[in-house]
Amino acid sequence: MNYELFKMIHGMAGHNKLVDGFMIFCTNSAIYIFGIALLLMWIFGNEYYKKSAFYAGVTGLIALCINYLITLVYYKPRPFVTHHVHLLISHAADASFPSDHTTGAFAIAMLIWLRNRKIGGIMILFALLTGFSRIWVGHHYPFDVLGSVIVATVIAILIKKITKLVDPLANLIISIYYFLIRKKRTTNHSNFN
């Protein structure tokens, strides 16, 4: 079933250069787009949004570490290793499950969504598109992406539950940032709303 779903999605690739280009952009640029989004939240957001960006970054890093641990105990070859696949872009023949791109994007998006539905909703849509693009270009099976969504969601929920414990570290980092730019701290939640 996993391979059949892969063939159905990946089979749409290679027929329209514009769509293929968009999917390649999503695959290659997701990490930069999410990084820019967090940077903008940090620079232009108030303290609540700075904390959200901090927690999202931590969530993404932890989720990627969990992915690495999964690959140590479970190895699944990529679709193009096992089957004849026309890749839209080349990729190393490392573990297919889970998808790092999807995990990182979805972990960040989910944590932001748990703290701000508007911004998080947009980020989740792009994270899902990122996962879909990974199948489209031939790098992952659908279950690789689904596994990534599950890992990312679980980590985001756990981080959200322990934010009170991590608040002192977030506050310290924000204080250092304000000291370095010589700006007074604000706690108003109105920015980005």
Side-chain angles (χ1 to χ4, degrees), residues 41 62 65 85 130 174:
M41 288 177 73
I62 291 172
C65 289
V85 173
T130 300
I174 291 169

Side-chain angles (χ1 to χ4, degrees), residues 104-117:
F106 207 86
I108 290 169
M110 180 54 81
L111 191 283
I112 295 297
W113 182 81
L114 290 169
R115 291 179 61 87
N116 182 294
R117 297 292 197 254

Side-chain angles (χ1 to χ4, degrees), residues 8-129:
M8 187 175 74
I9 296 168
H10 180 66
M12 294 185 282
H15 302 292
N16 184 305
K17 287 187 177 183
L18 187 64
V19 176
D20 287 347
F22 178 67
M23 291 298 176
I24 290 168
F25 170 79
C26 291
T27 281
N28 287 338
S29 303
I31 191 165
Y32 304 112
I33 290 171
F34 281 96
I36 290 168
L38 294 182
L39 186 63
L40 291 174
M41 288 177 73
W42 181 270
I43 293 172
F44 297 110
N46 57 33
E47 192 166 317
Y48 180 83
Y49 287 97
K50 284 176 176 38
K51 284 184 180 181
S52 296
F54 172 75
Y55 295 136
V58 168
T59 302
L61 289 174
I62 291 172
L64 289 173
C65 289
I66 297 297
N67 270 15
Y68 176 71
L69 294 175
I70 290 170
T71 64
L72 294 179
V73 296
Y74 177 75
Y75 176 82
K76 179 166 183 59
R78 290 186 183 264
F80 59 84
V81 172
T82 310
H83 307 283
H84 178 69
V85 173
H86 172 68
L87 288 175
L88 294 185
I89 49 176
S90 61
H91 196 284
D94 53 359
S96 186
F97 181 88
S99 163
D100 287 339
H101 285 75
T102 307
T103 300
F106 207 86
I108 290 169
M110 180 54 81
L111 191 283
I112 295 297
W113 182 81
L114 290 169
R115 291 179 61 87
N116 182 294
R117 297 292 197 254
K118 289 179 187 176
I119 297 171
I122 294 166
M123 292 177 89
I124 284 176
L125 288 175
F126 190 69
L128 290 170
L129 186 57

